[in-house]
Amino acid sequence: MIRPLRNIAIIAHVDHGKTTLVDALLKQSSIFRENEQVGDLIMDSNDLERERGITILAKNTAVMYQGVRINIIDTPGHADFGGEVERVLNMADACLLLVDAVEGPMPQTRFVLRKAMEMGLKAILVVNKIDRPMARPAEVIGLSQDLFLALATDAEQLDFPIVYTNAKAGTSTTDLAEPGVSMEPLFKTILDVVPAPDVDIEGPLQFLVTTLAYDSYRGKIAVGRIFRGAVHPGDSVVRIDRDGRQIRGRINQVFNFLGLKRQEVDEAFAADIVALSGIDEVNVGDTIAAADAPEALPIILIDEPTVSMTFGVNTSPVGGREGRFCTSRQIRERLYRELETNVSLRVSDTEEADVFTVAGRGELHLSILIEVLRREGYELEVSKPEVITKMVNGRVHEPFEHLVLDTQEVYIGPLSEALSKRGAVMEDLRHDGSGGVRLEYTIPTRGLIGFRNAFLTLTAGNGTMSSLLLGYRAWAGELRSTRNGALVAHEEGVAVTYGLANAQQRGITFIDPGTIVYEGMIVGLHSGEKDLVVNICKEKKQTNVRAASADIKVRLTPPTKLSLEQALDFINDDELVEITPSSYRLRKEILKADERAKARKVAVAVSV
């Protein structure tokens, strides 16, 4: 049976205007009242998404156009959230490939498009931001055609329509000579090009769970696509998990989506994207099938993690003062609960009861998880991110990435020098004729850890970077250290101006006067290569003889405040980041200076 609906996913690199395009489609589909205030970035409901301007969690909505329901799946644009992409693409029949009219397709666009092509999805090329002064739509189309040629799995995927949009203004056109006035040309292209699903609505139910939601009244809610049959409230069903086990259950409620709302319905059919309540233990990747014909759908395959770090109980002298959830039981329970929805994450116990290994798709993937835990009131300490290696034919292999940098010509030298220390090999260098340049490298993933902040510093913020996992290759050898030593607090106490002034003669400080510190806490960056212990709690001694200017305050250089990502990038293997709801602190793993010295001697003896 041909259903009057379309299921489409939107694919785009970070900051190419994907969420803004979805805003325009929602606003022009007449699903909001004329006086309803909906704002911008409608689909980015998560606080972190709005703050960072990126899509982290895949979400879906629906609009009505000429009597046809169009289900829109908003996918993350960053490869670190590829787990979100891989599972939600299962719900789509086609995709909109959204590219910036200046930047063109980026490596992470390639990653998501490749997944869509492998699933056989039909594509529509949308060239966005055609109003930008440096827009070059003809060149961008050429680059996109090259991308399709490299990724297409059959000849039909090479024949794709092109729509030009200015998502911010809410306009689209299929001909640049005719300025757009609305999103109608894009709506029409979707109806004409995207196939209406031909499905079996009479057969026994098959529903694939791709996302989970939670409601305080209804409990877990399974979101996904019906691949066969129909579903009604009260239906008896069987949940088939990844191991093939069958658990009987009953559907309580069925919901579909329209705009920002989830609305209850009496029935839903094959090809519909719906939410089901009543199946309490459901997980992503499960199949919900008819009780009398329990047939499982293919399991969603997710690429393996490439980066890991440890999460543990905060063991510093000030631990437990600022967080609500501080024990190993609470942290462990929360991490394992995250696995229910974060399918590309891996969590495992270690030999230490209060330390857990967490593996993800990249540094950003893990830092977002840490920030979520912090905002929920958790207090913990985490280690430096490390790459996950594999043994292939008796040799160690590590992940490599394709790195693309867009910046100005004047920064080529500093960037090349910094990247050479990180094991990068230049593959291509292209000038745009206007002072801009695109640099392409192959680099070990461990060489990229900490590079994002270095890139912003070296280019004074004038550039963008993106990367794509290439796979595993032979170990590239040791990389040269790129960081000086740390300024480490000598004792527990409160930082004072006099002590900080002395420390600033030796390097850069990270804290203000009045900050509580403890022995082993990192309070700055040394100007030399080795760590230096400093006494920042030391006050100026009182004397009976004073000059007229004695009471003038010592002037301090403002401290450097590190963000979470900068803190994770900064630390070395023997250091940790202390995470609390109100602060980040850097510390040595071994707090006492004499014990650190003993550990260094043991390490040297073992290496010899």
Side-chain angles (χ1 to χ4, degrees):
M1 177 180 177
I2 305 296
R3 296 292 315 283
L5 58 82
R6 305 289 190 272
N7 293 323
I8 61 169
I10 300 185
I11 295 169
H13 182 69
V14 175
D15 201 35
H16 278 201
K18 173 169 47 66
T19 304
T20 305
L21 181 73
V22 176
D23 285 359
L25 294 175
L26 285 168
K27 290 174 180 177
Q28 294 188 29
S29 61
S30 301
I31 60 171
F32 300 120
R33 300 188 311 273
E34 290 186 8
N35 64 342
E36 189 171 354
Q37 299 294 319
V38 293
D40 297 321
L41 303 178
I42 300 170
M43 293 291 282
D44 282 351
S45 54
N46 184 300
D47 288 341
L48 277 173
E49 291 177 320
R50 287 180 172 270
E51 290 171 16
R52 295 169 181 256
I54 60 175
T55 299
I56 297 170
L57 303 173
K59 295 172 282 293
N60 58 284
T61 185
V63 299
M64 297 297 296
Y65 179 76
Q66 294 184 355
V68 177
R69 175 185 292 270
I70 302 175
N71 288 313
I72 302 171
I73 304 158
D74 187 15
T75 64
H78 199 288
D80 278 20
F81 306 109
E84 293 281 320
V85 172
E86 288 162 293
R87 57 192 170 101
V88 299
L89 285 179
N90 284 274
M91 298 191 288
D93 298 309
C95 63
L96 301 182
L97 174 63
L98 186 71
V99 296
D100 189 295
V102 175
E103 296 180 1
M106 302 293 281
Q108 290 163 357
T109 309
R110 183 187 185 96
F111 165 80
V112 185
L113 183 62
R114 185 180 71 218
K115 296 294 182 183
M117 292 292 190
E118 289 171 354
M119 295 178 182
L121 303 187
K122 179 74 175 177
I124 298 171
L125 178 62
V126 180
V127 181
N128 191 32
K129 301 188 180 182
I130 56 174
D131 58 314
R132 290 184 65 179
M134 301 292 289
R136 49 183 188 131
E139 294 178 50
V140 167
I141 290 171
L143 293 171
S144 301
Q145 288 171 335
D146 294 341
L147 183 61
F148 274 85
L149 191 61
L151 300 180
T153 56
D154 61 62
E156 288 186 6
Q157 291 176 331
L158 297 175
D159 181 22
F160 53 88
I162 302 171
V163 181
Y164 306 92
T165 63
N166 177 358
K168 196 170 184 179
T171 62
S172 64
T173 180
T174 54
D175 185 354
L176 281 174
E178 299 179 7
V181 294
S182 71
M183 282 294 172
E184 189 159 334
L186 179 56
F187 278 123
K188 287 184 177 179
T189 303
I190 292 172
L191 294 192
D192 293 340
V193 175
V194 179
D198 186 2
V199 291
D200 175 13
I201 67 170
E202 302 296 335
L205 173 68
Q206 275 188 314
F207 172 88
L208 182 65
V209 181
T210 55
T211 309
L212 292 178
Y214 184 81
D215 186 284
S216 56
Y217 296 102
R218 302 180 179 93
K220 269 189 183 179
I221 296 177
V223 180
R225 174 172 171 164
I226 304 173
F227 283 84
R228 187 180 65 193
V231 64
H232 310 80
D235 282 353
S236 294
V237 294
V238 168
R239 176 176 65 86
I240 307 172
D241 66 15
R242 286 177 171 268
D243 298 323
R245 292 175 296 185
Q246 299 183 7
I247 302 94
R248 299 185 70 88
R250 183 180 297 277
I251 303 298
N252 287 343
Q253 294 165 300
V254 180
F255 304 88
N256 67 13
F257 299 89
L258 187 63
L260 307 181
K261 299 176 181 178
R262 195 167 59 204
Q263 53 189 19
E264 189 171 354
V265 294
D266 294 329
E267 60 184 355
F269 300 97
D272 284 336
I273 294 175
V274 297
L276 307 177
S277 70
I279 313 299
D280 292 335
E281 300 301 321
V282 67
N283 290 305
V284 170
D286 290 353
T287 298
I288 295 177
D292 55 353
E295 297 178 44
L297 287 161
I299 295 173
I300 301 173
L301 298 177
I302 304 294
D303 287 347
E304 291 299 311
T306 58
V307 176
S308 71
M309 57 198 304
T310 61
F311 287 46
V313 172
N314 184 8
T315 57
S316 83
V318 295
R321 298 183 184 180
E322 300 172 3
R324 290 189 296 128
F325 308 110
C326 308
T327 67
S328 60
R329 178 187 61 80
Q330 291 169 326
I331 294 171
R332 184 182 188 278
E333 183 182 89
R334 178 62 182 85
L335 289 174
Y336 277 92
R337 190 166 73 246
E338 182 71 15
L339 295 178
E340 297 177 358
T341 54
N342 201 335
V343 295
S344 54
L345 197 73
R346 301 288 183 272
V347 178
S348 58
D349 296 336
T350 67
E351 294 179 356
E352 300 178 59
D354 56 356
V355 178
F356 314 96
T357 300
V358 181
R361 291 287 284 271
E363 197 177 2
L364 180 62
H365 184 201
L366 295 176
S367 69
I368 291 292
L369 172 61
I370 293 170
E371 183 64 21
V372 169
L373 296 183
R374 185 185 77 83
R375 295 187 181 201
E376 291 178 359
Y378 285 84
E379 185 173 321
L380 62 156
E381 59 187 25
V382 299
S383 67
K384 182 180 182 63
E386 297 179 346
V387 297
I388 299 172
T389 58
K390 294 181 178 180
M391 294 297 294
V392 180
N393 298 325
R395 296 185 61 191
V396 178
H397 281 57
E398 63 176 323
F400 275 71
E401 304 199 29
H402 177 218
L403 173 66
V404 176
L405 308 176
D406 286 297
T407 184
Q408 301 297 309
E409 293 175 346
V410 294
Y411 304 120
I412 294 177
L415 287 172
S416 298
E417 182 181 355
L419 286 166
S420 66
K421 297 177 181 178
R422 295 172 175 267
V425 177
M426 183 180 287
E427 302 291 346
D428 194 14
L429 188 156
R430 278 173 284 172
H431 298 264
D432 65 3
S434 302
V437 64
R438 172 169 288 188
L439 306 167
E440 298 190 21
Y441 292 86
T442 298
I443 184 172
T445 297
R446 61 194 166 101
L448 269 183
I449 294 175
F451 178 68
R452 188 173 300 276
N453 290 305
F455 173 73
L456 293 174
T457 301
L458 291 170
T459 62
N462 294 309
T464 60
M465 65 172 282
S466 59
S467 61
L468 173 68
L469 181 67
L470 295 174
Y472 277 76
R473 300 181 182 180
W475 181 262
E478 294 300 320
L479 303 182
R480 283 180 282 171
S481 175
T482 58
R483 200 203 84 180
N484 287 345
L487 297 177
V488 185
H490 172 264
E491 61 185 4
E492 186 172 350
V494 178
V496 297
T497 301
Y498 181 73
L500 285 172
N502 289 333
Q504 287 188 349
Q505 295 176 12
R506 305 296 185 91
I508 301 168
T509 55
F510 296 157
I511 61 173
D512 294 302
T515 302
I516 296 175
V517 299
Y518 52 83
E519 182 181 3
M521 180 174 163
I522 296 172
V523 296
L525 178 65
H526 188 205
S527 55
E529 294 183 1
K530 295 184 178 181
D531 294 340
L532 179 68
V533 176
V534 293
N535 187 356
I536 58 171
C537 303
K538 180 180 179 182
E539 297 185 7
K540 186 176 181 180
K541 291 183 178 180
Q542 299 291 330
T543 65
N544 292 326
V545 180
R546 293 174 180 262
S549 59
D551 292 330
I552 297 177
K553 292 183 178 179
V554 176
R555 293 187 179 274
L556 291 176
T557 302
T560 300
K561 298 292 187 179
L562 301 182
S563 66
L564 173 59
E565 283 80 8
Q566 289 172 328
L568 294 175
D569 293 345
F570 178 86
I571 59 174
N572 282 330
D573 294 337
D574 64 337
E575 298 164 353
L576 301 170
V577 180
E578 183 183 343
I579 311 291
T580 77
S582 57
S583 60
Y584 309 120
R585 299 185 188 93
L586 282 66
R587 52 162 287 185
K588 288 292 183 179
E589 187 172 4
I590 301 174
L591 294 179
K592 294 190 175 296
D594 56 343
E595 293 180 7
R596 289 199 300 274
K598 291 178 184 177
R600 282 195 297 271
K601 290 180 180 178
V602 171
V604 170
V606 170
S607 64
V608 172

